[in-house]
Amino acid sequence: MRVIFKVIMLVSWSFMGCTFQKAQLTNELQTELKTFNGKGQPLEDFFKEAEYSQLKISPDGRFIAAIYPKNGINSIGILSSDLSQLIFTGQFDDERHVINYEWVNDTRLMLQAGKKFGYLDGRNSDVRTYFVDYNGRNFQNFFAGKWAYYSLVRTLPNDPNYVVMAKYHYSDRGRPTAVKVNVNNGDEKLLASPPIARGYLLADQNGEVNVALEPSKQSFDESQIHYRLGRGSPWTKLEYPVKGKGSLNPLHLDTKAKALYLMSGLETGRDAIYRLDLTSGQSKLVSSDPVVDVSSPIMDEDRLVGAVYDPDYPEIEMIAPDSEIMTLYRDLLVSFKGQRVNSLNLTRDKSLGVFMVSSDTNPASFYKIDVKSRKVTPLGQSMPWLKSAKLASMKPVKFKSRDGLDIHGYLTLPPQGAQKNLPAVLVVHGGPHGIRDFWDYDPEAQFLAQRGFAVLKVNYRGSGGYGRPFLESGYKQWGLKMQDDLTDATNWLVKEGYADAKRLAIFGASYGGYAALMGAVREPDLYRCAVTYVGVSDLTIQRSDSDTGESEAGEEYMDRALGTDEADLKKRSALYNIDRIKIPIMIAHGKDDVRVPFSNAERLRDALEKAKKPYEWLAKDSEGHGFSQDANRYEFYLRLAQFLEKHTAVPNKTAAQSGH
């Protein structure tokens, strides 16, 4: 399959527009990388784009589609389902990537394409919707010039020439209406006008839009569900029996039984699945976990059949164990023991399917299955250049914080050689609130483990996935108790014998970069060096200049998460504590970052320079919140590894030995 996807395009289209100059690896950097890689796994192998992703089978089972990178641009490819023939590949111009797609019927696809900007925040700008046939013909953008943004709500297997879409018209301030769109000519018909000013719509398999979710304009933590019991019935504002802040996410409305299935975090503080009787107003627990939030539901068309949880390794609860989908999942989990099974999509008659498995040592492998015979056919791997046998295992760990909280994390040790008394890196995830680390393939952990480091990633207080109380326990604790958790994690590494106390480093991106800097401030003698990648150095800049604060909800979030007192914000910012920093700092940032403005890096650099503190600097043009261009990403990880190895190679290495 790898060779097939590299066949020259048979049919292509181009959306004309301005282009940008992509960063290229200089000859000097290529030579440096070659020397750095030596005989080991090349750095580029961990951080280049997957060979293909998002495999989906057509409803009639004749074709398989996939997204794959061609000349650095995510493109679409269509093959016959037996992989014997490449039907079509298509690509936009230099700026526009295929972000995702859906088969809308047996022979036609809907594509969403946009300009990638910001590797870490998943920012895609100027996203547009297109339709194209499986062979590349009839490529159309029906929505050009309509002054509205369209988003797919649901395909209609029983009405294959149409899809249900949410239409957000700019003249109506983006208020969503439900429209039924002809996928062949773009004609649209109004289906519903829910009484919401913003938000998302939910349709059943017959195309009836009876549920609407309206996020609060004032808060990320509040939302309102509206529903109706069929077309022509009045819309009703849901009065949920449990009050308070927390998420409500509708899954399916059973209009006959007058019951709504939804995910709620209001009852126990952890997201779980409930069935709400709309007549009595009583909710009944369907599925939950005592430690973590539900990660995702498993639906069989409009029926809830299972739920995925991630307490340490992934787990699936069989809500409807006798359903066809769950018996299939059960058999796949037996066949692929110790791996995560997901992205299962089936043909209309459920005779064939495509699915993905992944693990800590498997970025992703794709398979086709004959559902009746259970015969599984390999389709290929997303990163075939990485061999599972040579990758490092990721081990779930747990320890107590100094004030008694259970802190969960994941430890990755070198795949060969010593497993104790190692140089170690604490890698801090960004977000921080609502984001968490999972057990799965992790390119940073694998890369650093291959270089001989013990790598620890932890879900410190404030992280997502462990319930609202745990998340909110991090509010106004940036640089305080959240930092204590990271210090406790580092000390745990040493106490357990994995890390050499004199060879410790801390690294992170976004909030993780903030935490790396505050590790240097709060614990000046613990780490040998710190790396901030698109990180916050000044909380007052984040309050005033980040795009997070451009909405009322974003402003309210920062009020609660960071606080409003300027003196306190400065006290918890590395920029105003330069005198406490004793170790070398590496700063890497994109000049066009709007999530964490570039001025965080500039002012930090200037302050370190003025104080004659050692630092290294890497700034890139035309990059946002994380480096999207391959050449810049490779250079960053090269400089990262060189910096970490330099300062953890010899015990008692002093900061004075670093230059800038």
Side-chain angles (χ1 to χ4, degrees), residues 407-474:
I407 305 296
H408 299 259
Y410 298 94
L411 176 65
T412 306
L413 300 175
Q416 295 180 336
Q419 302 286 288
K420 294 285 187 178
N421 203 37
L422 298 165
V425 185
L426 180 67
V427 180
V428 187
H429 71 70
H433 305 296
I435 306 299
R436 60 158 292 184
D437 287 317
F438 292 88
W439 179 87
D440 215 337
Y441 172 75
D442 185 306
E444 288 181 343
Q446 290 293 338
F447 170 63
L448 293 172
Q450 294 285 335
R451 301 298 299 184
F453 288 95
V455 183
L456 180 61
K457 309 187 84 169
V458 295
N459 290 317
Y460 47 83
R461 77 187 69 199
S463 300
Y466 294 86
R468 177 154 294 277
F470 187 80
L471 183 150
E472 292 184 344
S473 69

Side-chain angles (χ1 to χ4, degrees), residues 33 67 70 75 78 98 124 127 162 207 227 233 240 242 321 337 348 364 394 399 483 485 504 511 561 596 638 653:
L33 272 171
I67 291 177
K70 184 175 178 64
S75 310
I78 313 294
V98 177
N124 299 299
V127 177
Y162 294 88
Y227 72 92
S233 300
Y240 199 67
V242 183
K337 187 177 180 180
R348 186 185 303 106
M394 176 182 277
F399 61 91
Q483 200 68 40
D485 291 347
L504 303 171
Y511 170 83
V596 177
L638 173 63
K653 192 175 182 70

